[in-house]
Amino acid sequence: MFATLSDRLTSTFKNLRSKGRLSEADIDATIREIRRALLDADVAVSVVRDFTGSIRERALSSEVSGALNPAQQVVKIVNEELVAILGGDSRNLRFAKNGPTVIMLAGLQGAGKTTLAGKLAVYLKDQGHTPMLVAADLQRPNAVTQLKVVGERAGVPVYAPHPGNQGESALPGTSAGDPVSVARAGLETAKSRQHSVIIVDTAGRLGVDQELMEQAADIRNAVEPDEILFVIDAMIGQDAVATAQAFNDGVNFTGVVLSKLDGDARGGAALSVARVTGKPILFASTGEKLTDFEVFHPDRMASRILDMGDILTLIEQAEKAFDAEEAERMATKVAEGKDFTLADFLVQMQQLKNMGSMKKMLGMLPGMGQMREALDNFDEREVNRIEAIIQSMTPAERDNPKIINGSRRSRIAKGSGTTVTEINQLLQRFDGAQKMMRQMAKGGGGMPGMPGMGKLPSAGKRAGARQAKKDKKMTPQQRAAAARKAARGEAQPASNGSAFGVGQDQTPDLSNLELPKGFEKFLGK
């Protein structure tokens, strides 16, 4: 969504890093580029004016002139102002103290309210609530049917006493029903069935449609919602300001939900609506699946825009997707020095798939804006191909890839619908991963206290410490000479890599050794 804006801002800041001191002309040039980037991203003009004014005022103050690194200080100011524009601190949903919590959805036609009702229900269900959907959108053709399908996928009940507008299949003379009565009856049903949350899906409307706006206000008065969420398409651009103001005047919403945040539009709505309305952005819809839904954190979104990454969100998604028992099993296996197998690799890949889009996850890493082209060209199906290749192997091949010869590779390629070249590439990558896991088990990787991995052996060594050189491998003649010296009672200097405290004055006792027949001549006997 913010790829173009992020690239423009990153390029602007890159020009500042080579300067040890910033003049007023440098700051003005930077502000000019930021203004152009924001306007190109369809951010509202009033928001751009306030934003750049605040940055210029702070950049010309002693806050920057006295800083050790003025360029980094300017980036810090831009980051803080971005967080302020996006709403400052994140806010959670407000829940009712008594009775079911009522959440009403409002927004334009096509903003994605019905799908978002299902996503919100899944989110609340995961939080331990018992949500119920209420089909109060009786205006749009087949909206009630769509909500029933969404509710079935989400695993939550749907209250839909009226079929609503069924389009061409509607009987002549039938009315669309009264959404106010449906919403009121849905609240009473939720109380009787002891649901903790009800989500009322209302009809999409235009901001200038006074009749439909009054209907939304009547639904609000009938159910007295604890939260009124304004669902806005993140790709709407400059028109977001007028739309948000019209809905705020009509229904007085309490929070904003951004839908279609995974689109390729310029994303000006996200940077405009919170500042214009003064209402916080609570959630963001980031995909088509019901699980592509996340809490909106202004500070994390600002970090993404400035190409600083979003590690916290990445960690949260990993905690949801990864199995703790499997992680513990893998940690124990590594600690015991057992080899990392292709079966383990398959499990890791499957858990990685559960986290969602690989492009989205990689985009949360800091500095990935510099690899935009490679990220855009990344094929999401690569994970599926790897899974198919490993599943086409026998258990013995997964445990010991070294037995996979030419004929086995041909069989695996045919079974997985790939080529032998792709099999070879996978085995090469796996060999590198296996070596890395062996290094971790030996403590050479220096990864102490890794979450979910426990304390690895030798993890307490000082990172980067120079290790003693190991003795070179001795030839048979050198070993024989050393044995003769030992037999004559000559002390052998301790090696540089002596690991068990063997001192230089300690001579090994060879009297009890059972030597092979004829070996005495090598000892000078």
Side-chain angles (χ1 to χ4, degrees), residues 4-43:
T4 304
L5 176 60
S6 178
D7 291 344
R8 291 279 297 272
L9 292 178
T10 304
S11 176
T12 301
F13 297 140
K14 191 179 296 183
N15 297 330
L16 294 178
R17 293 194 179 99
S18 60
K19 301 181 180 180
R21 189 174 184 85
L22 299 182
S23 64
E24 186 173 347
D26 293 329
I27 292 175
D28 286 340
T30 302
I31 298 298
R32 195 180 307 116
E33 289 299 320
I34 292 174
R35 183 185 298 113
R36 288 175 180 171
L38 293 173
L39 290 175
D40 286 346
D42 269 343
V43 181

Coordinates of all heavy atoms in Angstrom, one line a residue, residues 4-43:
T4 N 5.2 3.2 -2.7 CA 5.7 4.4 -3.4 C 6.1 5.5 -2.4 O 7.2 6.1 -2.5 CB 4.7 4.9 -4.4 OG1 4.3 3.9 -5.3 CG2 5.2 6.1 -5.2
L5 N 5.2 5.8 -1.4 CA 5.5 6.8 -0.4 C 6.8 6.4 0.4 O 7.6 7.3 0.6 CB 4.3 6.9 0.5 CG 4.5 7.9 1.7 CD1 4.7 9.3 1.2 CD2 3.2 7.9 2.6
S6 N 6.9 5.2 0.7 CA 8.1 4.7 1.5 C 9.3 4.9 0.7 O 10.4 5.4 1.2 CB 7.9 3.2 1.9 OG 9.0 2.8 2.6
D7 N 9.3 4.6 -0.6 CA 10.5 4.7 -1.4 C 10.9 6.2 -1.6 O 12.1 6.6 -1.5 CB 10.3 4.1 -2.8 CG 10.2 2.6 -2.8 OD1 10.6 2.0 -1.7 OD2 9.7 2.0 -3.7
R8 N 9.9 7.1 -1.7 CA 10.2 8.5 -1.9 C 10.8 9.1 -0.6 O 11.8 9.8 -0.6 CB 8.9 9.2 -2.2 CG 8.3 9.0 -3.6 CD 9.0 9.8 -4.7 NE 8.8 11.2 -4.5 CZ 7.8 11.9 -5.0 NH1 6.8 11.2 -5.7 NH2 7.7 13.2 -4.8
L9 N 10.2 8.7 0.5 CA 10.8 9.3 1.8 C 12.1 8.7 2.1 O 13.0 9.5 2.6 CB 9.8 8.9 3.0 CG 8.4 9.6 2.9 CD1 7.6 9.2 4.1 CD2 8.6 11.1 3.0
T10 N 12.4 7.4 1.8 CA 13.7 6.8 2.1 C 14.7 7.5 1.2 O 15.9 7.8 1.7 CB 13.6 5.3 1.8 OG1 12.6 4.7 2.6 CG2 14.9 4.7 2.1
S11 N 14.4 7.8 0.0 CA 15.3 8.4 -0.9 C 15.6 9.9 -0.5 O 16.8 10.3 -0.6 CB 14.7 8.5 -2.4 OG 15.6 9.2 -3.2
T12 N 14.6 10.5 0.1 CA 14.8 11.9 0.6 C 15.8 11.9 1.8 O 16.7 12.7 1.8 CB 13.5 12.5 1.0 OG1 12.6 12.5 -0.1 CG2 13.7 13.9 1.5
F13 N 15.6 11.0 2.7 CA 16.5 10.9 3.9 C 17.9 10.5 3.5 O 18.8 10.8 4.3 CB 15.9 10.0 4.9 CG 14.5 10.5 5.4 CD1 13.5 9.6 5.7 CD2 14.3 11.9 5.6 CE1 12.3 10.0 6.1 CE2 13.1 12.3 6.1 CZ 12.0 11.4 6.3
K14 N 18.0 9.7 2.5 CA 19.4 9.2 2.1 C 20.3 10.4 1.7 O 21.5 10.3 2.0 CB 19.2 8.2 0.9 CG 20.5 7.5 0.6 CD 20.3 6.5 -0.5 CE 19.3 5.4 -0.2 NZ 19.1 4.4 -1.2
N15 N 19.7 11.4 1.1 CA 20.5 12.6 0.7 C 21.0 13.4 1.9 O 21.9 14.2 1.8 CB 19.7 13.5 -0.2 CG 19.3 12.8 -1.5 OD1 20.0 11.9 -2.0 ND2 18.1 13.1 -2.0
L16 N 20.3 13.2 3.1 CA 20.7 14.0 4.3 C 21.9 13.4 5.0 O 22.6 14.0 5.7 CB 19.5 14.1 5.2 CG 18.3 15.0 4.7 CD1 17.2 14.9 5.8 CD2 18.8 16.4 4.5
R17 N 22.0 12.0 4.9 CA 23.0 11.3 5.7 C 24.4 11.7 5.4 O 25.3 11.5 6.3 CB 22.8 9.8 5.5 CG 21.5 9.3 6.1 CD 21.4 7.8 6.2 NE 20.2 7.3 6.7 CZ 19.2 6.9 6.0 NH1 19.3 6.8 4.7 NH2 18.0 6.5 6.5
S18 N 24.7 12.2 4.2 CA 26.1 12.6 3.9 C 26.5 13.9 4.4 O 27.6 14.3 4.3 CB 26.3 12.6 2.4 OG 25.4 13.5 1.8
K19 N 25.6 14.6 5.1 CA 25.8 16.0 5.6 C 25.9 16.0 7.1 O 25.1 15.5 7.8 CB 24.7 16.9 5.1 CG 24.6 17.0 3.6 CD 23.5 18.0 3.2 CE 23.4 18.0 1.6 NZ 22.4 19.0 1.2
G20 N 27.1 16.5 7.6 CA 27.3 16.6 9.0 C 26.5 17.7 9.7 O 26.2 17.7 10.9
R21 N 26.1 18.7 8.9 CA 25.4 19.9 9.4 C 24.3 20.3 8.4 O 24.6 20.4 7.2 CB 26.3 21.0 9.8 CG 25.6 22.1 10.5 CD 26.7 23.2 10.9 NE 26.1 24.2 11.7 CZ 25.9 24.2 13.1 NH1 26.3 23.1 13.7 NH2 25.4 25.1 13.7
L22 N 23.1 20.5 8.9 CA 22.0 20.9 8.0 C 21.7 22.4 8.0 O 21.5 23.0 9.1 CB 20.7 20.1 8.4 CG 20.8 18.6 8.4 CD1 19.4 18.0 8.7 CD2 21.2 18.1 7.0
S23 N 21.7 23.0 6.8 CA 21.4 24.4 6.7 C 19.9 24.5 6.5 O 19.1 23.5 6.3 CB 22.1 25.0 5.5 OG 21.7 24.4 4.3
E24 N 19.4 25.8 6.6 CA 18.0 26.0 6.4 C 17.5 25.6 5.0 O 16.4 25.1 4.8 CB 17.7 27.5 6.6 CG 16.2 27.8 6.6 CD 15.9 29.2 7.0 OE1 16.8 29.9 7.6 OE2 14.7 29.7 6.8
A25 N 18.5 25.8 4.0 CA 18.1 25.4 2.6 C 18.0 23.9 2.5 O 17.1 23.4 1.8 CB 19.3 25.9 1.7
D26 N 18.8 23.1 3.3 CA 18.7 21.6 3.2 C 17.4 21.2 3.8 O 16.7 20.3 3.3 CB 19.9 21.0 4.1 CG 21.2 21.3 3.4 OD1 21.3 21.3 2.2 OD2 22.2 21.3 4.2
I27 N 17.0 21.8 4.9 CA 15.7 21.5 5.5 C 14.5 21.8 4.6 O 13.6 21.0 4.5 CB 15.6 22.2 6.9 CG1 16.6 21.6 7.9 CG2 14.2 22.0 7.5 CD1 16.7 22.3 9.2
D28 N 14.6 23.0 4.0 CA 13.5 23.4 3.1 C 13.4 22.4 1.9 O 12.3 22.1 1.5 CB 13.7 24.8 2.6 CG 13.5 25.9 3.7 OD1 12.7 25.5 4.6 OD2 14.0 27.0 3.5
A29 N 14.5 22.0 1.4 CA 14.5 21.1 0.3 C 13.9 19.7 0.7 O 13.1 19.1 0.0 CB 15.9 20.9 -0.3
T30 N 14.3 19.3 1.9 CA 13.7 18.0 2.4 C 12.2 18.1 2.6 O 11.4 17.2 2.3 CB 14.4 17.7 3.8 OG1 15.8 17.6 3.6 CG2 13.9 16.4 4.3
I31 N 11.8 19.2 3.2 CA 10.3 19.5 3.4 C 9.6 19.5 2.1 O 8.5 18.9 2.0 CB 10.1 20.8 4.2 CG1 10.7 20.7 5.6 CG2 8.6 21.1 4.3 CD1 10.2 19.7 6.5
R32 N 10.2 20.1 1.1 CA 9.6 20.1 -0.2 C 9.4 18.7 -0.8 O 8.3 18.4 -1.4 CB 10.4 21.0 -1.2 CG 9.7 21.4 -2.4 CD 10.7 22.2 -3.3 NE 11.2 23.3 -2.6 CZ 12.6 23.5 -2.3 NH1 13.4 22.6 -2.8 NH2 13.0 24.5 -1.7
E33 N 10.4 17.9 -0.7 CA 10.2 16.5 -1.2 C 9.2 15.7 -0.4 O 8.5 14.9 -1.0 CB 11.6 15.8 -1.1 CG 12.6 16.3 -2.1 CD 12.2 16.1 -3.5 OE1 11.6 15.1 -3.8 OE2 12.4 17.0 -4.3
I34 N 9.2 15.9 0.9 CA 8.2 15.2 1.7 C 6.8 15.7 1.3 O 5.8 14.8 1.2 CB 8.4 15.5 3.2 CG1 9.7 14.8 3.7 CG2 7.2 15.0 4.1 CD1 10.1 15.2 5.1
R35 N 6.6 17.0 1.1 CA 5.3 17.5 0.7 C 4.8 16.9 -0.6 O 3.7 16.4 -0.8 CB 5.3 19.0 0.6 CG 4.0 19.7 0.2 CD 4.1 21.1 0.0 NE 4.6 21.8 1.2 CZ 5.7 22.4 1.3 NH1 6.6 22.4 0.3 NH2 6.1 23.1 2.4
R36 N 5.7 16.8 -1.6 CA 5.4 16.2 -2.9 C 5.1 14.7 -2.7 O 4.1 14.2 -3.4 CB 6.6 16.3 -3.8 CG 6.8 17.8 -4.3 CD 8.1 17.8 -5.2 NE 8.3 19.2 -5.7 CZ 9.5 19.5 -6.3 NH1 10.4 18.7 -6.4 NH2 9.6 20.8 -6.7
A37 N 5.8 14.0 -1.9 CA 5.5 12.6 -1.7 C 4.2 12.4 -1.1 O 3.4 11.4 -1.5 CB 6.6 12.0 -0.8
L38 N 3.8 13.2 -0.1 CA 2.5 13.0 0.5 C 1.4 13.4 -0.4 O 0.3 12.7 -0.4 CB 2.4 13.9 1.8 CG 3.4 13.4 2.9 CD1 3.3 14.5 4.0 CD2 3.0 12.1 3.5
L39 N 1.5 14.4 -1.2 CA 0.5 14.8 -2.1 C 0.3 13.8 -3.2 O -0.8 13.5 -3.7 CB 0.8 16.2 -2.7 CG 0.7 17.4 -1.8 CD1 1.1 18.7 -2.5 CD2 -0.8 17.6 -1.3
D40 N 1.4 13.2 -3.7 CA 1.3 12.1 -4.7 C 0.6 10.9 -4.1 O 0.1 10.1 -4.8 CB 2.7 11.7 -5.2 CG 3.3 12.8 -6.1 OD1 2.5 13.6 -6.6 OD2 4.5 12.8 -6.3
A41 N 0.7 10.7 -2.8 CA 0.1 9.6 -2.1 C -1.4 9.9 -1.8 O -2.0 9.1 -1.1 CB 0.8 9.2 -0.8
D42 N -1.9 11.0 -2.3 CA -3.4 11.3 -2.1 C -3.7 11.7 -0.7 O -4.9 11.5 -0.2 CB -4.3 10.2 -2.6 CG -4.7 10.4 -4.1 OD1 -4.5 11.5 -4.6 OD2 -5.1 9.4 -4.7
V43 N -2.8 12.1 0.1 CA -3.0 12.6 1.4 C -3.7 14.0 1.3 O -3.4 14.8 0.4 CB -1.8 12.7 2.3 CG1 -2.1 13.2 3.7 CG2 -1.0 11.4 2.3

